[in-house]
Amino acid sequence: MIEWAFPVPPDVIRGREWHGRGVSLFAWTNEPDDARQPPLITEHGGRVIGLNGHLADPSEVTALPDDSVGGCFSVWFARDGELGASTAINRVCPVFHAETPELHIVGSRALLVHLMARPDERVDFDVLALQSMVRQGFFLSDETPYKGVSALRPSSRLVVRDGVRTVTETPLPQAAPAPTSARHKRAAVGELAEALLATVAPLRDLGEPVNLALTGGRDTRILAALLHAARVPFRTTTNGLDTHPDVIIARMIAERLGVEHTVIAPPQTAAKDAVLVEHPLGRAWETLRTCEGMTSAYETIVSYLPYSGKPTMSGQSGETLRAGSLNLLQTDLGDQALRRRIETTFTKDAKLFTAEANEHARELARPWLARENRLETLDHLYIWYKVGRWQASARAGSLRRGDPVRPFLDNRVVRAALSLDQSWRLSEEVIYTLILRLAPELRDVPIEGKQWRFVQSAESTPAKRRFPWSARTRLPDPPPHLPTTKTGGGWSWRTSPGPALTDVLRRQVLGSLDALAPIVEPDEVRALFADPVVRKPALAWHLYTVSTLLTGLYPGKAPEDLPRITVSRPDPGR
């Protein structure tokens, strides 16, 4: 059973366990030893504590499950007659729970929780819950693919005491109004800076530099400034050609901060009008095995490698400091436009779905639509679901190789960010001020892509009305930006699948319509695949993933002897 639930070779798994009156706590890991503190299970003050993830300061393990502890984690705690678990503010280290007449089961792997709750080894799916997997490729709820198994909400605590379960939840922070003076802005940014600095302070004593994947964009620049300000030794790497803005700007950043910079050039291959790709069934099996049916095979999941403790860092989840990716998608910040964004997030492609599935989606959207502050709603949706469900699931792939340092996922950092006005964060003034505070040496380094949003706001009359407070405390003008260079490498076989790959996806999905029938309209699915090349590749991949899940691809043996598929470029001469 453990081999089904853990996506690493059995011989790299080690574990510890503790047993008390009516309670057992089991911990497993693919980390080779207990070099990273605290260990898997520790005893403090009459309690046993198990940690999933890491703490910014390992000594704070004694304070768990306190909401103010820094790090990226979830925690289990136990004593005779009592078991508890809690999530941090973004639940990127998930907690799943189920209940039977005899047992309360709580764990970090949903499939394992489900199998432990079953009287046999048969998997029982919650098909209606999978409607959001088909729409978006991840869950927009606390549901899982498995009947009876739920994800614990952010900043929540589950306690089972003498057989009775209670769940308490701490609401996400309410943002303060945007500061209107330079002094108040400096103070607000200062609190965020202190939270970020605390996440990397322990890295000073590692004995080897942190490897930062650096680009010309916003989020990795914050991390470079952060490591520099914290006096943490680090080196940088950038993928690309010397002429690409990412490489040009990353080299400038490294020079200003006096750190080593390595450019990794992409392999130069002859132009091809077609590529051979893995069969989708093998890709789906690995995704189901790693992400437990909570991430689409459309996504590229990091493959397995032996665990490495070397410190690495990237800009993943930097949108947290910018009011979340859902707000960043918006050009119109009017109330109706923001409401439509909330609605379509939950009810996308409604025509494809059954009435029951659409009603289920509307029911999930209802409490979010009832909230008055739309910017805050989209900000919190990003934390609850884009980070807390999509990233939490997809992150399982990278955790097989190591546990990268993620300052933007830190419990204290997220709490500090959410406490800042959404429109202020969305303007990018917060992160620009943060960078200058941490590394003033970067003041004259341009940004890659689009110009800073607060600059666009100042230059646009309609945008000026979006951030009316910004003109009161004008920032120094940043240097001109470097637009993104089109390299011609934008073609992807996943998004342009071609006729042969479309046919493989089509045959699997149309051949399993009976399993999908509770959530999709068969005729609409057939229409989706009517053309030689499917019109909505991401939706096709989501359907394919759910189809293979429901028809029993995993748990089970990896498919063998699968042919590779030829995918042709849509326009080979381009």
Side-chain angles (χ1 to χ4, degrees):
M1 188 179 293
I2 196 70
E3 293 180 19
W4 288 0
F6 275 57
V8 295
D11 59 355
V12 305
I13 300 172
R14 62 186 181 87
R16 292 188 63 190
E17 56 190 78
W18 174 89
H19 304 278
R21 178 176 56 83
V23 178
S24 291
L25 189 62
F26 300 90
W28 296 277
T29 183
N30 59 310
E31 296 183 25
D33 53 46
D34 279 334
R36 189 173 60 164
Q37 297 296 315
L40 276 176
I41 294 180
T42 54
E43 294 193 37
H44 302 280
R47 295 185 310 156
V48 177
I49 298 176
L51 189 76
N52 177 21
H54 66 268
L55 302 180
D57 180 357
S59 69
E60 289 192 317
V61 66
T62 58
L64 293 172
D66 189 283
D67 285 339
S68 65
V69 172
C72 181
F73 62 89
S74 54
V75 60
W76 280 256
F77 46 96
R79 54 165 62 99
D80 283 344
E82 180 180 313
L83 172 68
S86 70
T87 53
I89 194 167
N90 55 15
R91 64 169 170 184
V92 76
C93 294
V95 172
F96 302 103
H97 57 97
E99 183 178 349
T100 75
E102 298 81 23
L103 292 172
H104 291 275
I105 305 112
V106 189
S108 61
R109 296 289 290 175
L111 178 58
L112 183 58
V113 169
H114 180 67
L115 293 172
M116 291 294 294
R118 293 285 306 169
D120 50 34
E121 293 185 349
R122 187 175 65 86
V123 177
D124 194 6
F125 295 110
D126 186 346
V127 180
L128 187 59
L130 287 162
Q131 58 85 26
S132 66
M133 266 292 296
V134 175
R135 290 183 208 268
Q136 294 283 9
F138 62 96
F139 275 82
L140 286 161
S141 70
D142 303 320
E143 302 161 307
T144 72
Y146 313 109
K147 273 192 177 176
V149 179
S150 298
L152 193 62
R153 291 181 171 187
S155 287
S156 293
R157 188 178 304 181
L158 178 153
V159 176
V160 180
R161 188 173 290 114
D162 293 325
V164 178
R165 184 179 71 189
T166 58
V167 176
T168 55
E169 179 182 343
T170 302
L172 298 188
Q174 186 173 14
T180 55
S181 71
R183 181 169 64 86
H184 289 139
K185 285 185 177 182
R186 284 195 300 271
V189 172
E191 291 182 15
L192 180 59
E194 289 304 313
L196 282 162
L197 287 166
T199 68
V200 299
L203 302 177
R204 292 191 198 107
D205 304 322
L206 287 182
E208 63 177 307
V210 175
N211 187 69
L212 171 64
L214 183 62
T215 70
R218 288 140 172 83
D219 301 328
T220 60
R221 180 177 310 211
I222 297 171
L223 297 179
L226 176 62
L227 293 168
H228 171 74
R231 295 183 173 84
V232 173
F234 72 104
R235 55 174 171 251
T236 61
T237 58
T238 305
N239 291 288
L241 297 173
D242 284 343
T243 54
H244 193 279
D246 268 342
V247 174
I248 295 170
I249 295 173
R251 183 179 290 121
M252 292 173 67
I253 293 171
E255 287 175 352
R256 299 292 194 283
L257 300 183
V259 297
E260 176 187 346
H261 179 239
T262 301
V263 177
I264 302 174
Q268 300 299 298
T269 57
K272 295 180 180 179
D273 61 3
V275 294
L276 276 175
V277 303
E278 62 181 319
H279 194 285
L281 204 61
R283 183 182 179 94
W285 183 88
E286 186 61 29
T287 305
L288 294 177
R289 173 178 179 248
T290 305
C291 306
E292 303 188 293
M294 292 180 278
T295 299
S296 170
Y298 174 78
E299 306 292 343
T300 298
I301 302 302
V302 176
S303 59
Y304 171 77
L305 283 177
Y307 190 92
S308 170
K310 291 186 177 181
T312 62
M313 194 179 289
S314 71
Q316 191 175 39
S317 301
E319 298 96 339
T320 300
L321 307 192
R322 295 185 278 143
S325 62
L326 294 173
N327 277 319
L328 287 166
L329 290 171
Q330 289 294 120
T331 53
D332 183 351
L333 298 182
D335 184 76
Q336 287 304 310
L338 294 175
R339 180 184 172 87
R340 282 195 300 273
R341 173 68 66 182
I342 298 168
E343 285 180 323
T344 55
T345 297
F346 284 94
T347 62
K348 183 182 178 184
D349 294 309
K351 188 178 178 183
L352 183 78
F353 292 86
T354 62
E356 186 180 14
N358 282 325
E359 177 53 33
H360 189 66
R362 287 191 292 270
E363 189 62 30
L364 294 173
R366 198 161 284 127
W368 296 97
L369 288 167
R371 296 171 60 161
E372 292 183 4
N373 187 331
R374 307 291 190 204
L375 285 176
E376 180 186 75
T377 300
L378 288 166
D379 191 21
H380 288 187
L381 278 172
Y382 168 78
I383 294 295
W384 273 55
Y385 301 129
K386 199 67 189 278
V387 176
R389 299 308 311 274
W390 175 77
Q391 193 170 131
S393 176
R395 185 169 171 265
S398 64
L399 289 176
R400 298 186 292 182
R401 296 184 173 193
D403 192 357
V405 181
R406 303 288 194 215
F408 300 136
L409 294 177
D410 181 88
N411 189 45
R412 286 177 181 154
V413 170
V414 177
R415 196 168 294 280
L418 293 184
S419 299
L420 301 179
D421 179 79
Q422 280 82 21
S423 64
W424 186 34
R425 284 158 53 214
L426 186 58
S427 76
E428 297 182 336
E429 184 178 294
V430 170
I431 61 169
Y432 183 76
T433 306
L434 180 67
I435 292 166
L436 297 190
R437 181 189 185 101
L438 296 171
E441 298 92 334
L442 302 182
R443 182 182 301 275
D444 63 341
V445 177
I447 199 77
E448 187 265 342
K450 294 182 179 179
Q451 184 56 285
W452 297 96
R453 292 169 73 98
F454 67 86
V455 175
Q456 298 175 53
S457 172
E459 295 172 349
S460 164
T461 300
K464 201 175 289 184
R465 290 196 293 269
R466 295 188 316 191
F467 308 125
W469 40 263
S470 61
R472 302 176 195 170
T473 53
R474 183 174 174 81
L475 288 169
D477 289 334
H481 64 291
L482 293 185
T484 300
T485 300
K486 293 184 178 180
T487 61
W491 173 68
S492 166
W493 61 268
R494 293 180 304 123
T495 56
S496 300
L501 182 53
T502 292
D503 189 54
V504 175
L505 300 175
R506 178 192 295 115
R507 282 187 278 114
Q508 169 64 37
V509 173
L510 297 190
S512 57
L513 283 176
D514 286 348
L516 293 165
I519 52 175
V520 297
E521 295 288 354
D523 288 345
E524 293 296 332
V525 177
R526 294 186 186 99
L528 174 69
F529 286 100
D531 295 336
V533 177
V534 66
R535 297 188 307 276
K536 296 182 176 182
L539 183 58
W541 277 104
H542 302 342
L543 277 164
Y544 184 90
T545 306
V546 173
S547 164
T548 56
L549 176 72
L550 294 177
T551 52
L553 177 63
Y554 192 85
K557 187 180 178 183
E560 298 177 342
D561 301 322
L562 294 172
R564 293 174 73 81
I565 309 297
T566 300
V567 182
S568 301
R569 291 184 67 106
D571 181 1
R574 187 166 53 190

